[in-house]
Amino acid sequence: MGENNNLVRRLTIRIGRSSLAMLEQPSSGSDIIYEPYVVKSGVSMAANLREAFKNSDLLLQAPPRVRVLLDSDVLMVPVELFEENHMEEMHSHAFPRREQEAVYYNVLPDLNAVAVFSMNKDLRLVLDDHFQDVRLIAAIQPVWRYLHQRSFTGIRPKLYAYFHEKRLELFAFQKNRFRFCNSFDASRIKDAQFFIFYVWKQLQMDAVYDELYLVGDIPGEEAMLQDLRKFLQKVYVINPAADYGQHPVLDITGIPYDLQTLVVKGR
């Protein structure tokens, strides 16, 4: 009976840069269990996850398969230029390469691109020690996919800003491709505003007619909006409740937007 129960449970582990959380979705019914884990500073994420397997209710009875949402630096490669044999070399050119990291990739067919990212080898070993099947997903991927679909509403160009864990992801689409995609340190509000205006200017977007959408854990939201609207006419905040309706995952506080989107819209 226990093994059959495991087959109908979907477990997702979200591994952030300084956060760790588990979410379980039963295949029947609407109950969703979300369990954030208090990460110990000064200790590796691999060690934190190993400790979590001793204390987490969800991990103590984990199913054999797991979906891992990993917040990591991502290199975007046009699908026609991607070669699996060269992905480690390409990733190391974009980001400082460390011996203890392995490189993985997700194909984004809707956007004709491949997301290349890395994971600490010790962290992957902890996962492989506890699960038969580990599926890695770049944390930003479900956000890209959903907002790309959303971008077809209206005819004006749109720039999207996703805030999470003191990071700012800025991206824009042009039909079925990325027009722009990059990540910035957004620990200070003024820095985030600078990057938004810089990218807006780089893309030669119109301050009166084109659209900026903010989503996620927006720092100093009211002040941020007030300052942005001094220069840009159309600035909006995406409300997950308005987009996703009455989905039960929205009733749980503290879930990052990327994990909400993964649960509601898929990867």
Side-chain angles (χ1 to χ4, degrees), residues 75-91:
L75 171 67
M76 299 304 303
V77 182
V79 70
E80 63 270 18
L81 299 179
F82 177 73
E83 297 182 26
E84 187 172 355
N85 293 336
H86 295 152
M87 68 177 184
E88 293 188 8
E89 181 182 355
M90 296 178 73
H91 191 272

Side-chain angles (χ1 to χ4, degrees), residues 4 17 29 31 40 49 85 110 119 136 141 154 160 176 254:
N4 290 336
R17 297 168 190 267
D31 291 338
K40 296 179 181 177
L49 182 58
N85 293 336
D110 294 346
M119 171 182 260
L136 291 181
Q141 180 178 327
Y160 294 97
N176 292 324

Side-chain angles (χ1 to χ4, degrees), residues 78-234:
V79 70
E80 63 270 18
L81 299 179
F82 177 73
E83 297 182 26
E84 187 172 355
N85 293 336
H86 295 152
M87 68 177 184
E88 293 188 8
E89 181 182 355
M90 296 178 73
H91 191 272
S92 66
H93 281 308
F95 305 106
R97 191 65 208 290
R98 293 185 289 245
E99 291 274 333
Q100 66 270 27
E101 293 193 349
V103 177
Y104 303 90
Y105 69 94
N106 295 149
V107 179
L108 312 174
D110 294 346
L111 286 160
N112 295 293
V114 179
V116 183
F117 57 97
S118 66
M119 171 182 260
N120 177 274
K121 292 180 180 178
D122 289 340
L123 185 57
R124 179 59 194 256
L125 184 61
V126 176
L127 293 167
D128 289 338
D129 284 344
H130 290 87
F131 299 101
Q132 299 174 15
D133 183 3
V134 177
R135 178 175 298 181
L136 291 181
I137 305 171
I140 188 64
Q141 180 178 327
V143 178
W144 282 334
R145 181 176 179 272
Y146 173 63
L147 294 183
H148 172 242
Q149 295 170 350
R150 202 178 188 276
S151 70
F152 289 99
T153 303
I155 61 173
R156 298 304 309 185
K158 301 170 180 62
L159 178 64
Y160 294 97
Y162 173 39
F163 295 88
H164 63 106
E165 294 185 284
K166 298 183 179 180
R167 300 287 294 177
L168 168 61
E169 312 277 353
L170 283 173
F171 48 95
F173 307 106
Q174 192 163 19
K175 294 184 179 179
N176 292 324
R177 289 187 178 274
F178 280 103
R179 183 182 178 197
F180 181 88
C181 181
N182 210 340
S183 178
F184 304 92
D185 176 12
S187 55
R188 296 190 300 179
I189 295 176
K190 292 298 181 183
D191 290 343
Q193 293 170 345
F194 170 81
F195 292 128
I196 290 171
F197 287 130
Y198 176 81
V199 173
W200 188 275
K201 184 177 180 180
Q202 183 179 350
L203 296 178
Q204 298 181 324
M205 297 181 73
D206 190 289
V208 176
Y209 297 107
D210 294 342
E211 301 167 3
L212 172 65
Y213 289 88
L214 312 181
V215 67
D217 187 15
I218 303 168
E221 182 173 328
E222 290 302 320
M224 174 79 73
L225 290 171
Q226 185 175 0
D227 288 345
L228 291 173
R229 286 171 175 161
K230 291 177 182 177
F231 305 97
L232 306 180
Q233 188 74 24
K234 297 186 177 181

Side-chain angles (χ1 to χ4, degrees), residues 16-36:
R17 297 168 190 267
S18 57
S19 63
L20 178 63
M22 282 65 67
L23 183 143
E24 182 184 271
Q25 298 166 260
S27 61
S28 60
S30 59
D31 291 338
I32 293 177
I33 303 172
Y34 180 64
E35 186 181 285

